Amino acid sequence: MDIPRIFNITESAHRIHNPITAEQLATLGSALRLEAGTRVLDLGSGSGEMLCTWARDHGVIGTGIDMSLLFTEQAKRRADALGVTDQVEFIHGNAAGYISEEKVGVAACVGATWIGGGFAGTIELLVRSLRTGGIILIGEPFWRQLPPTEAVARGCLANAIADFLMLPELLASFGRLGYDVVEMVLADQDGWDRYEAAKWLTMRRWLEANPEDEFAQEVRAQLTAEPVRYAAYTREYLGWGVFALMPR
């Protein structure tokens, strides 16, 4: 079980696998007013930066599940480096359908809502692990400005304009599902640059180290195309945020 190899290559040097920065991740933890001992479930936990830093800074405990074997091993090493291995656990597995045996104070899926077939299904999954009074965290893209054509939407790696909503519509949709939006942290262009541009150096270094690998042609094609695609499309049109929700 693993994610497509291209992601294990392009994001192998990332600690955060989405466009918010370490500073914004810290802001989110503070904004949620986390208390020591709060139990956190993180579906699609990546390299574990959220759980590990919040365990260090706020004393939370919790579990992360991710399909990437590489990212899961990186998360375990990060927990060891920050001295929080007794507070957090990382499981290599499929987070789709995962329900915590013990109810949690924060149930999160920050950037992997495909596990529930979209944000609505993922919220429905997360709430099954949530204790009364707990908070759901959803990381989700939205349109900063509406793409003028379907081709532009595809340039943002969406299948169609209808894949994402404008921010006000996204917030309203949470309300229609029966949740209050109680906090949010939105990626800015610097965060997007750090998330996307860091992949390019990683790809270049990988190509230098693996010139004969059968996957090298695909990595070379992506490195050649991605800077222009990102600057022309994603950077201009696509937003991303983490939204904190509480059931009404």
Side-chain angles (χ1 to χ4, degrees), residues 12-136:
S12 60
H14 284 53
R15 281 186 175 167
I16 302 173
H17 301 276
N18 58 63
I20 65 171
T21 63
E23 293 76 17
Q24 288 176 313
L25 192 60
T27 294
L28 178 62
S30 297
L32 296 178
R33 307 169 197 175
L34 295 169
E35 297 180 355
T38 298
R39 186 171 295 276
V40 179
L41 173 66
D42 188 7
L43 302 185
S45 50
S47 296
E49 191 71 1
M50 185 174 80
L51 271 179
C52 290
T53 56
W54 287 3
R56 177 196 64 192
D57 298 340
H58 303 285
V60 306
I61 57 177
T63 301
I65 301 95
D66 200 273
M67 284 185 67
S68 170
L69 180 60
L70 172 65
F71 297 166
T72 303
E73 291 303 314
Q74 288 177 336
K76 293 175 181 178
R77 292 195 293 272
R78 183 64 168 154
D80 183 61
L82 296 185
V84 295
T85 54
D86 59 335
Q87 295 168 250
V88 295
E89 175 188 20
F90 292 100
I91 299 170
H92 174 232
N94 188 350
Y98 186 92
I99 300 170
S100 177
E101 293 183 3
E102 185 173 349
K103 297 294 185 181
V104 301
V106 177
C109 182
V110 180
T113 56
W114 54 267
I115 68 171
F119 67 82
T122 302
I123 291 170
E124 184 179 349
L125 171 63
L126 291 171
V127 77
R128 298 174 67 184
S129 297
L130 196 68
R131 65 166 173 79
T132 301
I135 291 175
I136 288 173

Side-chain angles (χ1 to χ4, degrees), residues 1 6 33 42 81 235:
M1 180 188 300
I6 190 65
R33 307 169 197 175
D42 188 7
R235 196 176 193 270

Side-chain angles (χ1 to χ4, degrees), residues 85-198:
T85 54
D86 59 335
Q87 295 168 250
V88 295
E89 175 188 20
F90 292 100
I91 299 170
H92 174 232
N94 188 350
Y98 186 92
I99 300 170
S100 177
E101 293 183 3
E102 185 173 349
K103 297 294 185 181
V104 301
V106 177
C109 182
V110 180
T113 56
W114 54 267
I115 68 171
F119 67 82
T122 302
I123 291 170
E124 184 179 349
L125 171 63
L126 291 171
V127 77
R128 298 174 67 184
S129 297
L130 196 68
R131 65 166 173 79
T132 301
I135 291 175
I136 288 173
L137 293 181
I138 287 288
E140 188 69 9
F142 58 88
W143 295 122
R144 293 181 60 242
Q145 53 178 318
L146 203 63
T149 67
E150 295 291 351
V152 171
R154 290 191 293 272
C156 297
L157 304 183
N159 294 312
I161 294 172
D163 281 3
F164 306 131
L165 301 171
M166 297 289 286
L167 181 58
E169 295 168 348
L170 179 59
L171 297 176
S173 73
F174 295 140
R176 288 192 293 270
L177 292 172
Y179 293 84
D180 289 323
V181 181
V182 296
E183 259 294 355
M184 68 179 186
V185 173
L186 303 182
D188 56 23
Q189 285 194 320
D190 180 63
W192 270 113
D193 291 348
R194 299 280 40 80
Y195 172 58
E196 292 290 346

